[in-house]
């Protein structure tokens, strides 16, 4: 398996893991763009948002739920934070294993760049 994030799941390359359960892994982004920048990924390899099937909806909900839990634990849930999923080239996706960015600890502008 050539996928970078599958290698992190399988402990073939190191990551700073902040949460793990049977379905989901979360770790600090190697190149943070906010005081907190974590990636929440399913353990199942799914390449892009376009590849999610109906049977996987609970898994995607778990990514969102984990983001909210991590935000609460780290104390910025009430202040506010941002979650982002980039899809394909124009969406800015660079790793083709779906991941939710959890960004916290500063204010974010809108619209996105
Ligand atoms: P995206 O551009 O949405 O596909 O996001 C990919 C993210 O993965 C980027 O924010 C990268 O900084 C991050 N990233 C790439 N390699 C690693 C790694 N080995 N460990 C942690 N984060 C990584
Ligand atoms: Zn993968």
């Amino acid at each position: 398996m050539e996928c970078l994030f599958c290698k992190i799941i399988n402990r073939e390359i190191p990551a700073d893991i902040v949460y793990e359960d049977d379905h989901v892994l979360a770790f600090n982004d190697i190149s943070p763009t906010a005081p907190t920048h974590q990636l929440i990924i399913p353990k199942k390899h799914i390449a892009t948002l376009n590849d999610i099937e109906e049977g996987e909806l609970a898994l995607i909900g778990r990514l969102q739920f984990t983001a909210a839990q991590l935000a609460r634990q780290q104390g910025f849930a009430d202040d506010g934070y941002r979650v982002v999923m980039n899809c394909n080239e124009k969406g800015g996706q660079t790793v083709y294993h779906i991941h939710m960015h959890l960004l916290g600890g500063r204010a974010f502008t809108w619209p996105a760049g």
Side-chain angles (χ1 to χ4, degrees):
M1 182 52 99
E2 292 304 306
C3 172
L4 175 68
F5 288 174
C6 283
K7 286 181 177 165
I8 288 177
I9 292 164
N10 295 328
R11 307 302 203 267
E12 290 168 35
I13 64 167
D16 190 7
I17 292 168
V18 296
Y19 176 79
E20 180 170 24
D21 64 27
D22 288 346
H23 307 283
V24 165
L25 188 73
F27 48 94
N28 287 321
D29 196 293
I30 204 166
S31 185
T33 60
T36 297
H37 185 172
Q38 294 163 340
L39 301 173
I40 304 155
I41 68 173
K43 288 190 168 176
K44 179 176 185 180
H45 179 86
I46 302 170
T48 82
L49 207 49
N50 293 336
D51 301 304
I52 293 165
E53 294 173 6
E54 215 169 340
E56 295 162 340
L57 298 186
L59 187 56
I60 305 312
R62 244 175 226 284
L63 300 184
Q64 198 83 60
F65 184 69
T66 302
Q69 273 188 316
L70 285 169
R72 270 192 292 273
Q73 285 165 13
Q74 292 168 110
F76 54 79
D78 289 341
D79 283 346
Y81 58 95
R82 182 162 293 175
V83 292
V84 177
M85 289 180 83
N86 297 324
C87 184
N88 278 339
E89 191 181 347
K90 285 192 175 172
Q93 186 173 5
T94 59
V95 178
Y96 283 79
H97 179 131
I98 58 167
H99 46 281
M100 183 169 287
H101 295 257
L102 169 62
L103 299 154
R106 67 173 173 86
F108 298 94
T109 57
W110 192 260

